[in-house]
């Protein structure tokens, strides 16, 4: 597997609150990650300008985790599609009608704008939640059961993939097949702090578990040299691609 393939497996979130900070971070990353993730913090501060920060060999992953009535989500997806984003998130728990409206809006928006259709990936259970937190929210069963239910829902509607932890990735792969995209946040090096994440994995563990795209923020963004930290993650991804599951 090539280094460029490994770069396309890493997304670094631009979790900063101004366009200036985001530009500085993109510069410090020196084009190493293949994806730049824009969340609500930066999108709220800088709007569509935040979607124009990617370099030539990079794509933007707009992570607004949409969850609203179908018409509202469809209109938001159409606008983001016209801006040329490469990937969008929405909550699987929004239901089949919302997911289908998003799917149709992405296809129609891309055709109308002559743009590539963004990948639509559904959030299953946030990696900051564990079984106790799900129980508090009234969700029966454990994390695995809830992820399985929401994966089946996303598949039935024809979404491109889901966001899930590395722990659930092998079961999702068996359930949803080889072409389904698994995006995994909560990535940490063996020596990193977990911060507020619960279900963490190292880059190698996540790739071997079958995750396609790793989202790794604070350990890279807060490193003395983010490009060096990101390159080390890319090297670990490259070494793990094609390796058997743990
Ligand atoms: O800094 P850290 O590596 O924890 O950042 C993870 C990023 O992934 C954050 O931008 C967070 O919003 C996002 N994310 C997540 N869990 C999900 C979906 C997205 O942590 N289920």
């Amino acid at each position: 597997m090539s280094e460029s393939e490994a770069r396309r497996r890493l997304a670094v979130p631009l979790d900063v609150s101004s366009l200036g900070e985001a530009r500085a971070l993109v510069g410090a990353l020196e084009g190493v990650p293949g994806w730049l993730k824009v969340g609500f913090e930066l999108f709220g501060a800088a709007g569509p300008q935040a979607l124009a920060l990617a370099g030539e060999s990079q794509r933007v992953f707009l992570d607004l985790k949409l969850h609203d009535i179908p018409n509202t989500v469809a209109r938001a997806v159409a606008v983001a599609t016209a801006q040329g984003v490469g990937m969008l998130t929405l909550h699987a728990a929004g239901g089949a009608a919302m997911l289908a409206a998003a799917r149709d809006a992405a296809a129609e928006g891309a055709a109308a704008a002559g743009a590539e259709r963004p990948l639509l990936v559904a959030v299953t259970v946030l990696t900051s939640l564990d079984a106790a937190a799900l129980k508090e929210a009234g969700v029966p069963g454990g994390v695995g059961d809830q992820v399985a239910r929401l994966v089946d829902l996303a598949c039935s509607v024809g979404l491109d993939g889901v966001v899930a932890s590395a722990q659930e990735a092998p079961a999702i792969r068996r359930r949803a097949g080889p072409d389904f995209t698994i995006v995994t946040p909560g990535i940490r090096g063996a020596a990193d702090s977990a911060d507020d994440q619960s279900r963490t994995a190292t880059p190698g563990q996540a790739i071997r578990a079958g995750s396609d795209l790793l989202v790794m923020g604070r350990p890279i963004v807060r490193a003395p040299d983010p490009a060096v930290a990101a390159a080390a993650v890319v090297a670990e991804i490259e070494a793990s691609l094609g390796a058997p599951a743990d």
Side-chain angles (χ1 to χ4, degrees):
M1 292 285 175
S2 68
E3 193 203 64
S4 59
E5 164 68 8
R7 286 175 184 232
R8 285 196 292 274
R9 303 295 198 100
L10 176 63
V12 172
L14 305 178
D15 288 337
V16 292
S17 54
S18 72
L19 197 58
E21 285 173 278
R23 280 210 182 99
L25 179 53
V26 171
L29 288 166
E30 295 175 10
V32 175
W35 290 87
L36 299 175
K37 187 170 86 65
V38 175
F40 194 79
E41 183 183 3
L42 179 60
F43 193 71
Q49 284 181 289
L51 307 179
L53 290 170
E56 280 204 347
S57 56
Q58 291 178 318
R59 309 231 44 207
V60 170
F61 169 3
L62 183 59
D63 184 21
L64 298 183
K65 300 186 179 68
L66 302 170
H67 189 167
D68 209 317
I69 60 172
N71 180 60
T72 302
V73 167
R75 294 174 73 98
V77 168
V79 169
T81 300
Q83 308 275 355
V85 306
M87 193 179 304
L88 267 169
T89 49
L90 60 176
H91 274 282
M98 186 200 86
L99 300 176
R103 175 202 63 202
D104 293 347
E108 286 159 20
E116 207 178 308
R117 182 180 72 77
L119 294 173
L120 294 184
V121 294
V123 176
T124 55
V125 176
L126 292 169
T127 46
S128 56
L129 301 179
D130 57 16
L134 279 186
K135 197 171 166 207
E136 274 168 8
V139 177
V143 170
D145 291 344
Q146 180 66 354
V147 170
R149 267 193 292 270
L150 295 176
V151 165
D152 289 351
L153 183 61
C155 282
S156 71
V157 174
L159 255 58
D160 299 291
V162 290
V163 183
S165 83
Q167 279 90 323
E168 289 93 50
I172 292 171
R173 183 64 69 215
R174 284 193 296 275
R175 235 180 156 83
D179 298 328
F180 199 64
T181 298
I182 303 175
V183 177
T184 297
I187 303 297
R188 292 292 182 270
D192 293 332
S193 152
D195 300 305
D196 54 353
Q197 299 283 12
S198 289
R199 306 192 318 277
T200 61
T202 66
Q205 285 168 338
I207 291 291
R208 290 191 296 277
S211 300
D212 295 294
L213 179 66
L214 313 190
V215 179
M216 189 171 186
R218 284 162 285 184
I220 291 175
V221 170
R222 292 182 186 166
D225 186 335
V228 169
V233 173
V234 167
E236 186 175 337
I237 292 173
E238 194 180 356
S240 307
L241 285 167
D246 289 340

